[in-house]
Amino acid sequence: MLTLIRQELYKQLHGKFYIGWGIFILALSLLYGYTAKNNTLDPYSTLFGNGITFTTLALVVFASSILTVDFSQNTVKYLFARQFSRGKILISKLVTIVVMYIYLICVSFVSTEISALVFSVKGNWHFNDAFLLIGATSLYLFLLLSMVLLISNIFKNSAVATAVGIIFVLVLRTINALISQFTENHSWIKFNPLNFLNVNNQIYYGSIIKETTKLSLIQIEVGSIVWGVIFLLITYVVYNRRNV
């Protein structure tokens, strides 16, 4: 298992994903820092929130291709030839996603501080809000990325899988908005997995979002974890049956 994890991290270090997205988040933080110094009441939260938003986008792109890239580059034969189980391969990729998420969170913190220093942004860190945002985003990403992994697992071309993953996330917003219109008269609809994608907003904004989801905070937190696990199990079944 440790060998697989080291191999995955080695591939990411040479793939430059961490450099490209790190620079991208820093550049956008500097851009927002320039505008936030005069136009925002809470510039630190705004800067960090923007960093988290682009971290989410980066993880969607990353997760969309992480299973498919071995098939598109034909390196999957090497993994199977060494008799690694597909379950262990999948777990190593999930661990890599978590490592990249932690890395991008750190980049968001550093980028916010750099931007604030460069543009002399006035304000202070509200760490309670920052860690609440991280916790809410983590639950949201756990469910979202489990869906993205399942969808992208169907494809063998990493570019196509990435494009489909991004489109899937964009389409989800529209579908989720439509489904929420029916929860008022059909209470069972609130337990569909798309409704649980509101978990980050409900944790952060509270009762305002609860009126839309019709779920308590405990229900939406537990439900997002349960649905995430279900999608990961389905992903494993599909991945375990893929032809090389």
Side-chain angles (χ1 to χ4, degrees):
M1 176 64 72
L2 291 177
T3 300
L4 284 169
I5 294 173
R6 284 196 296 267
Q7 288 177 349
E8 283 295 328
L9 293 176
Y10 178 83
K11 286 193 295 184
Q12 302 314 318
L13 289 174
H14 284 74
K16 303 299 187 295
F17 169 88
Y18 71 103
I19 294 178
W21 279 100
I23 294 173
F24 183 67
I25 291 174
L26 174 59
L28 287 173
S29 291
L30 290 171
L31 176 62
Y32 280 112
Y34 176 75
T35 59
K37 63 178 182 179
N38 297 319
N39 302 326
T40 308
L41 295 175
D42 191 1
Y44 273 81
S45 294
T46 300
L47 289 170
F48 185 67
N50 286 325
I52 295 297
T53 298
F54 289 107
T55 293
T56 300
L57 175 61
L59 264 294
V60 169
V61 173
F62 184 65
S64 295
S65 62
I66 195 169
L67 291 180
T68 308
V69 68
D70 288 330
F71 290 88
S72 62
Q73 296 179 357
N74 213 28
T75 55
V76 70
K77 293 181 180 179
Y78 164 76
L79 292 174
F80 294 161
R82 294 192 60 183
Q83 297 182 339
F84 292 120
S85 70
R86 298 197 185 194
K88 289 182 178 180
I89 295 172
L90 179 59
I91 291 173
S92 69
K93 293 181 182 295
L94 295 177
V95 171
T96 303
I97 292 173
V98 173
V99 171
M100 289 298 166
Y101 176 52
I102 294 172
Y103 161 73
L104 291 175
I105 290 292
C106 293
V107 168
S108 297
F109 270 112
V110 173
S111 297
T112 298
E113 193 61 42
I114 290 174
S115 183
L117 289 173
V118 169
F119 296 105
S120 300
V121 173
K122 295 180 180 180
N124 296 293
W125 277 103
H126 298 289
F127 286 107
N128 288 338
D129 289 342
F131 287 114
L132 179 64
L133 178 59
I134 292 172
T137 303
S138 298
L139 278 176
Y140 168 72
L141 280 174
F142 178 70
L143 176 55
L144 177 64
L145 295 185
S146 66
M147 293 179 177
V148 169
L149 285 169
L150 177 58
I151 297 297
S152 65
N153 199 24
I154 300 171
F155 303 93
K156 287 190 175 183
N157 184 289
S158 58
V160 173
T162 301
V164 170
I166 295 173
I167 293 172
F168 173 71
V169 173
L170 295 176
V171 171
L172 278 180
R173 294 174 178 266
T174 302
I175 296 176
N176 200 6
L178 292 174
I179 290 176
S180 65
Q181 303 299 317
F182 296 95
T183 57
E184 190 71 38
N185 298 321
H186 306 282
S187 60
W188 58 271
I189 295 179
K190 67 183 180 182
F191 294 109
N192 80 85
L194 300 185
N195 194 32
F196 289 92
L197 287 172
N198 292 301
V199 61
N200 57 331
N201 290 325
Q202 186 158 336
I203 290 174
Y204 205 73
Y205 297 108
S207 58
I208 297 176
I209 306 301
K210 183 180 178 180
E211 294 178 4
T212 301
T213 64
K214 309 301 180 184
L215 295 167
S216 68
L217 184 59
I218 295 296
Q219 285 178 323
I220 200 166
E221 288 176 339
V222 174
S224 63
I225 294 173
V226 171
W227 274 114
V229 170
I230 291 172
F231 283 116
L232 285 178
L233 291 174
I234 298 173
T235 299
Y236 167 71
V237 172
V238 175
Y239 185 73
N240 198 41
R241 296 184 179 183
R242 288 189 68 167
N243 295 322
V244 177

